[in-house]
Amino acid sequence: MEMHQLRYFAAIVDEGTFTAAARRLHVSQSGISTQVAKLESELGQRLLDRSGRHIRLTPAGEAVLPLAKNALATLEAIKHAAAEFADAVRGRVRLGMIMGCSIPAFLDTVADLGRTHPGIEVSLHEGSSDDLQARVLTGSLDLALIGYAGGVAPGLEESIVTDEPLTAAVPAGHPLDRPELRLGDLRGERILCLSAGTGIRAAYEDSCRRIGLGPRADIDASSPATLLRLAERGAGVAVLTASSTEGAGLRAIPLTDAPTHARLGLVIRRGQHSPAAQLLRSRLLAALRAG
């Protein structure tokens, strides 16, 4: 039994006649007829009823057809998988990133991949960390850069890039400009924090609950840069991490009693390891950890 015989058989059923099937496959009608006859001879069963103007399946043909189509689909999948390893990795990667992401190492890596591996197409999708995890789980994204606190959703593999304690960002000379602070010291101040669904917000709220405080955010935004600009202008105290305040001209003061850290990491669905997604994942990890 040859795969092309199964392909001819399926094409005849789809087209309804030997002539139409031969035209679609760019082979002679006699050739396709001969090969299907050989298939029937080998199986010892008639697969096609040729008595009418249009070809019909026999009971044996009805049983064989779905199996033949599955075999052909499997063959195509094998060819596609093998092609990804030929010369260069190929494929499409749907990459998620947290809203407002401006990490140079992340953006540089995505841009460089298109130049070094033109066979890989990357599409970018912004969202909250909770939304990105859900989309990776359902398969609408291949991997995502997320911010989170604690662990990730079941079914995901995480690769931690950073694990940082929380800090309070204030201008120099602010009444809270001290060597260290506690969450309780922020009472009476307007709290500036990232939007719900982000790692820093989750770490802040979890830390407050674990020490018996009610978490609140008077102003939230999707970008640390926005919160830092507001803090510079006296709008409140920005609860962030030290790395997210770098270069802002503010004092990043450790919140020593905040037990939950904010994490930045890459997530991929457990068991999903396409060559293109794995290549991008490894490059992003190397770049982000180095940065």
Side-chain angles (χ1 to χ4, degrees):
M1 184 186 306
E2 303 290 340
M3 292 301 295
H4 69 274
Q5 293 172 337
L6 298 179
R7 187 175 294 108
Y8 291 171
F9 166 57
I12 292 166
V13 175
D14 290 341
E15 299 296 332
T17 67
F18 282 85
T19 302
R23 187 182 304 117
R24 190 181 93 182
L25 297 174
H26 305 290
V27 296
S28 68
Q29 181 176 336
S30 60
I32 199 171
S33 179
T34 299
Q35 290 301 318
V36 172
K38 286 182 178 180
L39 175 63
E40 292 176 320
S41 177
E42 183 174 345
L43 294 175
Q45 294 288 338
R46 281 281 186 178
L47 303 178
L48 300 172
D49 181 351
R50 300 163 172 81
S51 60
R53 292 184 59 188
H54 291 278
I55 302 299
R56 292 179 298 174
L57 286 168
T58 65
E62 291 179 352
V64 169
L65 180 62
L67 299 175
K69 289 192 171 183
N70 286 340
L72 292 169
T74 300
L75 178 62
E76 288 303 311
I78 291 171
K79 289 180 178 178
H80 179 74
E84 290 187 326
F85 289 93
D87 298 328
V89 178
R90 299 177 181 277
R92 181 175 179 226
V93 183
R94 298 157 300 177
L95 173 63
M97 63 180 184
I98 47 179
M99 294 180 66
C101 176
S102 58
I103 302 171
F106 177 86
L107 301 175
D108 289 345
T109 301
V110 174
D112 288 343
L113 192 73
R115 290 188 286 269
T116 59
H117 289 75
I120 298 179
E121 176 190 351
V122 180
S123 57
L124 278 173
H125 307 267
E126 269 194 325
S128 70
S129 294
D130 291 346
D131 174 60
L132 294 174
Q133 289 191 71
R135 293 182 67 182
V136 174
L137 277 172
T138 60
S140 63
L141 291 177
D142 296 300
L143 70 157
L145 177 70
I146 65 167
Y148 60 106
V152 298
L156 295 179
E157 295 179 15
E158 65 174 318
S159 298
I160 299 172
V161 176
T162 61
D163 186 306
E164 295 185 273
L166 297 177
T167 63
V170 298
H174 188 279
L176 294 181
D177 183 3
R178 309 170 192 170
E180 58 183 42
L181 291 168
R182 299 172 67 83
L183 284 167
D185 295 330
L186 306 186
R187 289 192 184 115
E189 300 287 339
R190 289 172 63 81
I191 304 297
L192 318 178
C193 198
L194 291 177
S195 304
T198 61
I200 289 176
R201 180 65 169 267
Y204 165 64
E205 293 181 347
D206 187 65
S207 291
C208 287
R209 294 189 186 100
R210 287 173 65 180
I211 64 172
L213 294 177
R216 61 181 176 82
D218 299 290
I219 299 177
D220 56 22
S222 61
S223 168
T226 300
L227 299 177
L228 293 171
R229 293 188 188 103
L230 289 169
E232 286 174 338
R233 290 162 173 76
V237 176
V239 176
L240 294 166
T241 60
S243 67
S244 62
T245 64
E246 289 178 357
L250 296 172
R251 304 290 295 273
I253 303 169
L255 290 165
T256 57
D257 64 340
T260 306
H261 287 194
R263 288 177 171 176
L264 182 72
L266 285 168
V267 292
I268 193 168
R269 191 168 52 180
R270 193 174 302 280
Q272 179 186 357
H273 302 292
S274 77
Q278 280 296 87
L279 176 63
L280 180 56
R281 180 193 192 194
S282 63
R283 289 203 170 190
L284 284 172
L285 281 176
L288 288 167
R289 287 171 176 171

